[in-house]
Amino acid sequence: MSSDRVDYIAPWWTYWLHNFPHINLRFQPIDKTFQPEDENYQQSLIFLGCVAAAGLGLNLLCLAIYLSCLCCCRKEEEEESKKPNSCCVTWSAVAAGLITCVAVGVGFYGNSETNDGVYQMTYSLYNANHTLGGVDSLVSGTMSNMRSGLHQHLARLDEIFATRGDYVQTLQFMQQMADNVIKQLLGLSDWEKAKVDLASIADQSATIEYYRWLTYLLLLILDLIICLLACLGLAKQSRWLLTTMMVFGVLTLVLSWTSLGADLATAVGTSDFCISPDKYIMSKTKDVISADIVHYYLYWNQTLSNPFQQPLAIFQRSLTTMQIQSQGLLQFAVPLFPTAERDLLGIQHLLNSSEASLHQLTALLDCRGLNKDYLDAMVGVCYDGVEGVLYLCLFSILAACAFTVMLCAIPRAWRQIACREQDYDDMDEEDPFNPRARRLGSQNPDHTNMHSFCSYSSSMGSQTSLHPPAPAVSNAPMSEYMNHTALFGGNPRYKNVPLIGRGSPPPSYSPTMRATYLSMTEEQRRHFGNDFQA
């Protein structure tokens, strides 16, 4: 690892957010230092949420004024003015859809970045908590061995070596060394308290982040669904769907401004912490750990002295002295007192395990591990976390703009749909070019046949004055027509049969219509012959 210290440098956006005005609810400027327990500081964050609430009120007021003007200034539009208004609604819907898609994309990215930052912070906190827990376990285990195990062995050896004063003095010296080790271990900080605090912070942060991530995910999906359904309502010209989407659009607009206020307050508060996190940490741990230890882990450097160096060195010397004394007793006392061998070997094993714990404790108390966890946590919160929250703020702004445009376009579309239906109501139902008449005609076949018959009768140049007669069928002779059709195979449905005379109807008409028409033609011929004879 490089000897140069890796410094924590706050990103530029934290300075930008830190410079936001901090004003309490009494409109008084306050100190920008991160103080979450201070009431005035809490009010300054609430004030940012109130600013977002004021923006929501202004947005709803503008929408209300627009809708009021749309209703009050209503006037009849001519055919030339309908097309530009329709284009305006179409482009408004397209703009709202595009902005919503961009907002949802930005929101997904910001939500993921925030989640990654918080996850990195909680992971670092768990690592630091594991390190502190390991230190506490090693310290408590070594102290227990020195107090109970070593004391029991020394007490039995004292009874065995009762007749040898020099051996008894050696045992007393070893007891003094063990007490010295316990004293040095007690001089270390109370890691158990710091361990509980870190674990609690990590658990609370993970729980809050899970619900925050899930809430934003549902909000993003809701925005996308509402936008798609609104576009579907405009395409299908469904009035009830547009009305429903307008209600949900207002609800989503409120949620967008609410999320903007929460994100803005969170971003500013976190940036205040990221500007000088070391000061806040030192103020929170001053009653738990000494300031020089916290400074050693926050500002690691090769030039800084290890505050645990002296206790660990005394610990090492005491263990080495006891090992030398126990080795001498094994060499000189066991031949004279064979029953002492078991306790002396037990002391040797205990001292060896204590030395192994000492090496592990030295590695865990080194500042590089905890300093790396501290830097990783700060990078996760102040870089990825705050950056993700800023993207979520941008998402809220874009979503508010998109749904504002959508709420302005839906009433005009609803009005155009109503005017179009009114125009259909004013059209003549007998007009064959009326869409409603065509729909009714498809449902009423008799009505369709009557229109076809009238259309045929009115298309004859010499028979414009004739009206369709009663449905009575005449039995006039059709020998001429049938004889001609017989020439073409006797198929009366043959389309290419040339017309016979001027009074012969086309073969494509029904037999009833041909019989009726031929009877009418025969009567006209007789009437014309009588007039000619007269």
Side-chain angles (χ1 to χ4, degrees):
M1 188 174 181
S2 176
S3 60
D4 296 334
R5 174 179 176 260
V6 180
D7 291 324
Y8 163 74
I9 301 176
W12 63 268
W13 51 81
T14 57
Y15 289 97
W16 177 64
L17 291 171
H18 179 67
N19 291 326
F20 272 34
H22 290 61
I23 302 174
N24 59 13
L25 297 180
R26 293 184 295 274
F27 299 98
Q28 298 175 351
I30 63 170
D31 187 15
K32 297 180 181 180
T33 306
F34 182 71
Q35 300 173 350
E37 299 85 2
D38 186 56
E39 183 179 359
N40 287 326
Y41 185 81
Q42 294 175 0
Q43 290 182 4
S44 66
L45 299 181
I46 296 174
F47 180 81
L48 296 175
C50 294
V51 171
L56 172 61
L58 182 62
N59 194 353
L60 293 178
L61 179 62
C62 293
L63 281 175
I65 294 174
Y66 172 78
L67 295 177
S68 300
C69 294
L70 188 64
C71 294
C72 296
C73 301
R74 190 171 182 178
K75 58 182 180 179
E76 296 181 357
E77 298 178 345
E78 298 179 354
E79 295 296 332
E80 294 80 10
S81 63
K82 290 182 180 179
K83 186 175 180 180
N85 291 336
S86 178
C87 292
C88 180
V89 172
T90 302
W91 284 110
S92 298
V94 170
L98 291 177
I99 296 175
T100 303
C101 293
V102 173
V104 170
V106 171
F108 271 110
Y109 178 77
N111 198 29
S112 177
E113 282 292 302
T114 305
N115 184 260
D116 291 342
V118 176
Y119 174 78
Q120 186 174 352
M121 181 199 70
T122 55
Y123 183 78
S124 300
L125 288 178
Y126 283 127
N127 282 342
N129 180 71
H130 179 73
T131 300
L132 299 180
V135 170
D136 180 75
S137 177
L138 291 173
V139 170
S140 60
T142 303
M143 291 177 62
S144 177
N145 290 335
M146 292 295 172
R147 284 175 176 174
S148 60
L150 184 63
H151 180 73
Q152 292 176 2
H153 291 299
L154 293 178
R156 284 194 294 267
L157 290 174
D158 187 65
E159 294 178 358
I160 295 173
F161 298 150
T163 58
R164 293 292 301 265
D166 53 346
Y167 292 163
V168 172
Q169 289 180 358
T170 302
L171 296 177
Q172 291 176 355
F173 181 74
M174 292 178 66
Q175 183 63 50
Q176 291 177 0
M177 293 294 100
D179 294 339
N180 194 18
V181 169
I182 294 174
K183 180 180 178 181
Q184 298 303 321
L185 293 177
L186 289 175
L188 299 177
S189 299
D190 189 4
W191 296 101
E192 181 67 23
K193 199 169 185 180
K195 169 190 169 184
V196 172
D197 289 340
L198 289 180
S200 176
I201 293 173
D203 292 338
Q204 292 178 3
S205 300
T207 303
I208 294 173
E209 171 57 22
Y210 171 75
Y211 287 107
R212 185 210 63 80
W213 174 84
L214 183 61
T215 301
Y216 266 98
L217 182 63
L218 295 177
L219 181 60
L220 291 169
I221 295 174
L222 179 64
D223 288 355
L224 192 60
I225 290 175
I226 291 176
C227 179
L228 292 177
L229 291 180
C231 294
L232 180 62
L234 290 174
K236 295 292 186 180
Q237 297 184 358
S238 176
R239 297 170 65 180
W240 70 269
L241 185 58
L242 290 177
T243 304
T244 305
M245 290 305 103
M246 189 170 183
V247 174
F248 279 100
V250 173
L251 176 62
T252 309
L253 188 65
V254 174
L255 293 177
S256 299
W257 281 101
T258 303
S259 64
L260 177 61
D263 292 337
L264 186 60
T266 303
V268 172
T270 308
S271 298
D272 294 338
F273 168 75
C274 293
I275 292 299
S276 56
D278 49 351
K279 293 182 181 180
Y280 178 74
I281 293 175
M282 293 186 70
S283 65
K284 293 294 293 183
T285 57
K286 63 181 180 180
D287 297 332
V288 180
I289 308 174
S290 60
D292 57 342
I293 296 176
V294 179
H295 190 273
Y296 171 69
Y297 287 113
L298 296 182
Y299 304 98
W300 172 75
N301 199 321
Q302 292 286 352
T303 59
L304 293 176
S305 61
N306 189 346
F308 303 106
Q309 183 176 2
Q310 183 178 358
L312 293 176
I314 296 174
F315 187 5
Q316 178 67 54
R317 287 196 298 267
S318 299
L319 286 178
T320 303
T321 302
M322 285 190 289
Q323 286 175 344
I324 294 173
Q325 296 297 326
S326 63
Q327 187 68 30
L329 291 175
L330 279 172
Q331 183 178 0
F332 298 105
V334 169
L336 300 176
F337 304 95
T339 57
E341 183 178 6
R342 180 179 179 182
D343 289 316
L344 289 174
L345 291 176
I347 291 175
Q348 283 269 326
H349 178 71
L350 188 148
L351 292 176
N352 291 334
S353 63
S354 297
E355 187 176 8
S357 298
L358 172 64
H359 292 304
Q360 295 179 11
L361 187 62
T362 303
L364 290 177
L365 290 177
D366 187 77
C367 64
R368 285 174 291 185
L370 289 177
N371 182 261
K372 181 180 182 301
D373 293 333
Y374 165 72
L375 293 178
D376 290 343
M378 290 299 99
V379 169
V381 172
C382 302
Y383 281 81
D384 294 338
V386 178
E387 181 184 7
V389 174
L390 286 177
Y391 278 108
L392 290 178
C393 292
L394 180 60
F395 151 72
S396 300
I397 295 174
L398 292 176
C401 294
F403 283 99
T404 300
V405 175
M406 184 181 298
L407 291 175
C408 291
I410 287 178
R412 298 187 65 87
W414 195 89
R415 179 181 172 184
Q416 288 184 3
I417 294 172
C419 293
R420 188 175 294 111
E421 292 182 354
Q422 184 178 1
D423 292 340
Y424 286 163
D425 293 337
D426 294 339
M427 292 175 66
D428 186 8
E429 293 185 358
E430 300 297 329
D431 186 2
F433 297 99
N434 185 3
R436 177 172 296 183
R438 288 198 296 267
R439 290 195 297 265
L440 293 176
S442 63
Q443 299 175 2
N444 190 359
D446 298 336
H447 188 68
T448 305
N449 293 335
M450 184 61 67
H451 275 282
S452 300
F453 181 81
C454 293
S455 176
Y456 163 71
S457 62
S458 62
S459 63
M460 301 296 295
S462 60
Q463 306 295 336
T464 54
S465 62
L466 295 178
H467 297 281
V473 180
S474 174
N475 294 325
M478 296 184 293
S479 58
E480 184 180 2
Y481 175 76
M482 298 305 294
N483 291 333
H484 192 80
T485 55
L487 296 175
F488 295 89
N491 187 3
R493 293 177 297 174
Y494 191 75
K495 300 292 183 176
N496 296 325
V497 177
L499 295 179
I500 302 172
R502 300 183 58 88
S504 177
S508 59
Y509 286 88
S510 63
T512 304
M513 295 176 62
R514 287 197 299 268
T516 304
Y517 184 79
L518 290 174
S519 63
M520 294 170 58
T521 306
E522 188 65 25
E523 291 179 359
Q524 288 182 356
R525 287 178 178 177
R526 289 198 299 267
H527 181 70
F528 179 76
N530 295 331
D531 292 341
F532 180 75
Q533 293 176 0

